[in-house]
Amino acid sequence: MENQLEKIEFADIVQVYLRTVPHAAEVLRDVPEPQRASFEAWPEEETDLFDFLPMAFMRPIVLPALREETPDPELLGPCFGFVEGLARNPNAYLQNALHHEVYEQFLEGREVLLRARRFCGPVSGAALLQMLKENYPATLEKLTGESEPDRP
């Protein structure tokens, strides 16, 4: 997969976000205080990934792009590279934040979920599939045969 990242270390999350995710700096400027200051000071400030991921990543960038009839790979490739890099970090807190603030957000709708599965890397794709198997088997069953041919 293009833009696939190696594991992102916990201390580097915001810097990697700013370096790899298109429009990240502008989006971060629009985040209200006090969150913006703590995001910018990561990892020195106590920042909650359960705030950062939805406020600076999913709601302003990823979900609107996945809702597009023709998703932009130039935008979504680096975004899903960032997700893949996070997914490669075994930190339990980070994995829990990914589960709730990234993967579960793809459940917004059938098309969003199918597009997300198409852009996921191997580790994040496996985590998304596992979440669907464990928590949303009926949703997964409805998607069977509708996903990309190279996906499980």
Side-chain angles (χ1 to χ4, degrees):
M1 175 183 204
E2 288 178 36
N3 303 311
Q4 188 167 311
L5 298 174
E6 293 303 310
K7 175 178 89 170
I8 297 173
E9 296 300 332
F10 196 76
D12 300 330
I13 290 172
V14 175
Q15 287 309 311
V16 173
Y17 159 82
L18 286 168
R19 192 171 59 243
T20 61
V21 173
H23 315 295
E26 300 97 81
V27 168
L28 198 56
R29 275 195 294 274
D30 291 339
V31 171
E33 293 295 351
Q35 283 90 357
R36 183 177 69 230
S38 68
F39 295 166
E40 290 171 339
W42 178 282
E44 288 76 27
E45 287 283 322
E46 188 64 35
T47 294
D48 190 342
L49 281 178
F50 288 83
D51 288 336
F52 176 76
L53 289 170
M55 292 176 77
F57 185 59
M58 291 301 291
R59 286 194 299 241
I61 300 172
V62 177
L63 288 174
L66 287 173
R67 289 178 193 128
E68 295 291 323
E69 191 151 329
T70 306
D72 180 2
E74 299 288 320
L75 172 63
L76 287 170
C79 289
F80 278 87
F82 178 68
V83 171
E84 181 69 10
L86 295 175
R88 291 171 181 257
N89 186 323
N91 177 290
Y93 169 74
L94 198 158
Q95 292 304 313
N96 194 25
L98 273 177
H99 176 97
H100 292 287
E101 301 303 339
V102 177
Y103 307 140
E104 283 194 343
Q105 302 313 304
F106 299 147
L107 296 170
E108 172 182 293
R110 182 181 149 279
E111 293 302 320
V112 167
L113 182 55
L114 288 170
R115 290 177 186 128
R117 287 189 69 193
R118 190 175 85 220
F119 281 98
C120 277
V123 176
S124 55
L128 176 59
L129 185 60
Q130 187 64 33
M131 179 199 77
L132 291 170
K133 282 180 182 173
E134 289 177 7
N135 302 317
Y136 307 96
T139 299
L140 181 59
E141 190 175 315
K142 287 180 191 170
L143 294 179
T144 302
E146 294 186 53
S147 60
E148 296 300 301
D150 61 340
R151 286 282 178 222

